[in-house]
Amino acid sequence: MPSTTLTRDEWMTRARAHEDAVDELTAGYLDRRSRGERHPVEDFLFEYYAHRPSHLRRWHPGPGVELADAPEYEGRSGYVVDDDGSARPDVAGFVGRRERTVTFVRQLLTATLSRPGTHDCFGLHEWAMVHGLQPGEQRHEQLPLRLDRAQTDAVVESHRIKCSHADAYRFFTPTAVGLNSLRPTRDDQLEHEQPACLHAGMDTYKWAFKLAPAMPSEITLDAFRHALRIRRLDMQASPYDVSDFDTDPVAIETSEGKAEYVARQRELMVTSNSLRRRLLDVCDLLLPE
């Protein structure tokens, strides 16, 4: 495996820059949490993925990088410290513990990249999660719907639903499950995941942090920022009124809203695919052919 050595000044500078960036990105969430408040758009990544800000804040150089003069890494999980105080990720130990995970991530990302993006789903998964529900039953009860319930249900029923993401589909209401043209599950995820899917794009963040400490934190942080952008569109295109959270709707029930959604979805897919390739490069370092 190629090896790069960073001086103490070099790796400390990168680690501090990472910590500062994470602190800035998570300050709002931590402040709201301390006051018992929630932001239905921004807090999703912490609540759904259950990856703590403190864990995101930990900087990791990634495989093939040695840190000179790093005795503080002694005893840190996932690292080896030599007698001279230099530290490096314990790639062999990580692969020994997580080979199945690395293999699955590589297979999933490769399969996703092999397919064209689907650009006519219009974010209807969020609508299918409230179809047929009564007041008090929806997931985001603190948010009003943009349309009344009959109109919201009509949007779902007047479109061909084609959600390909298992973790979105599993939240469909009982009345909406049968309206989806696919039946994605975790077991057949490799067969259904496609690169334009917003949830699959957000999942690049999940795959990055699941491979820590073997994943360079620069990739994980880029994936987190990207997931935040995707989540904003996800909620803008949803049936919920999020205008109180400085978020304008994308009315996918209209032709203009559909056009905006598709244009932004295409832009996000480009970044999602770039992140997938960067993740795959790391997987290939961990599991060389």
Side-chain angles (χ1 to χ4, degrees), residues 221-280:
L221 185 56
D222 284 348
F224 179 78
R225 289 191 176 107
H226 181 57
L228 282 174
R229 291 190 291 269
I230 293 177
R231 175 60 177 172
R232 181 165 293 275
L233 176 59
D234 197 32
M235 290 302 287
Q236 287 179 288
S238 78
Y240 299 109
D241 181 356
V242 291
S243 57
D244 285 347
F245 295 90
D246 194 28
T247 303
D248 295 327
V250 175
I252 56 90
E253 68 273 18
T254 68
S255 57
E256 294 81 7
K258 285 182 171 66
E260 180 181 352
Y261 182 89
V262 170
R264 291 174 61 182
Q265 184 186 37
R266 289 183 183 277
E267 292 177 359
L268 290 167
M269 185 183 74
V270 172
T271 303
S272 295
N273 280 343
S274 175
L275 284 164
R276 290 182 180 107
R277 295 186 184 98
R278 292 170 69 188
L279 289 165
L280 279 172

Side-chain angles (χ1 to χ4, degrees), residues 31-268:
D31 179 60
R32 286 189 297 271
R33 189 177 68 176
S34 70
R35 292 183 279 110
E37 297 177 3
R38 295 186 66 252
H39 191 298
V41 180
E42 297 178 2
D43 293 356
F44 173 83
L45 297 185
F46 301 103
E47 297 167 354
Y48 179 72
Y49 289 122
H51 189 58
R52 299 175 183 174
S54 59
H55 291 174
L56 177 61
R57 195 175 187 270
R58 294 173 188 168
W59 178 75
H60 302 292
V65 179
E66 185 169 292
L67 310 178
D69 189 18
E72 55 265 65
Y73 277 78
E74 185 70 51
R76 185 176 297 189
S77 177
Y79 286 87
V80 174
V81 178
D82 295 331
D83 292 340
D84 64 358
S86 62
R88 63 186 184 280
D90 181 10
V91 172
F94 178 84
V95 172
R97 297 187 305 272
R98 306 294 302 281
E99 183 174 359
R100 289 182 62 183
T101 300
V102 179
T103 298
F104 173 77
V105 171
R106 181 160 66 176
Q107 290 174 338
L108 180 63
L109 297 179
T110 300
T112 305
L113 284 168
S114 73
R115 300 187 179 103
T118 298
H119 295 99
D120 58 352
C121 65
F122 307 123
L124 283 161
H125 55 278
E126 288 287 346
W127 297 70
M129 294 178 193
V130 300
H131 182 267
L133 296 184
Q134 298 303 310
E137 295 179 336
Q138 67 192 41
R139 293 176 64 208
H140 299 290
E141 192 58 38
Q142 77 276 24
L143 294 176
L145 298 176
R146 290 194 292 104
L147 309 177
D148 65 34
R149 292 189 176 277
Q151 293 171 324
T152 301
D153 287 351
V155 170
V156 177
E157 294 160 8
S158 64
H159 288 79
R160 181 169 179 259
I161 314 298
K162 49 176 65 176
C163 179
S164 58
H165 196 275
D167 282 337
Y169 177 63
R170 68 189 176 96
F171 289 108
F172 279 29
T173 65
T175 57
V177 165
L179 300 177
N180 198 40
S181 59
L182 301 172
R183 299 292 183 270
T185 69
R186 293 282 183 85
D187 292 337
D188 57 17
Q189 192 172 4
L190 293 176
E191 300 172 24
H192 289 299
E193 205 110 314
Q194 53 91 11
C197 170
L198 295 193
H199 276 261
M202 281 192 285
D203 279 350
T204 58
Y205 170 57
K206 176 174 71 173
W207 304 130
F209 74 69
K210 279 188 174 294
L211 296 183
M215 180 62 59
S217 288
E218 288 79 4
I219 296 178
T220 306
L221 185 56
D222 284 348
F224 179 78
R225 289 191 176 107
H226 181 57
L228 282 174
R229 291 190 291 269
I230 293 177
R231 175 60 177 172
R232 181 165 293 275
L233 176 59
D234 197 32
M235 290 302 287
Q236 287 179 288
S238 78
Y240 299 109
D241 181 356
V242 291
S243 57
D244 285 347
F245 295 90
D246 194 28
T247 303
D248 295 327
V250 175
I252 56 90
E253 68 273 18
T254 68
S255 57
E256 294 81 7
K258 285 182 171 66
E260 180 181 352
Y261 182 89
V262 170
R264 291 174 61 182
Q265 184 186 37
R266 289 183 183 277
E267 292 177 359
L268 290 167

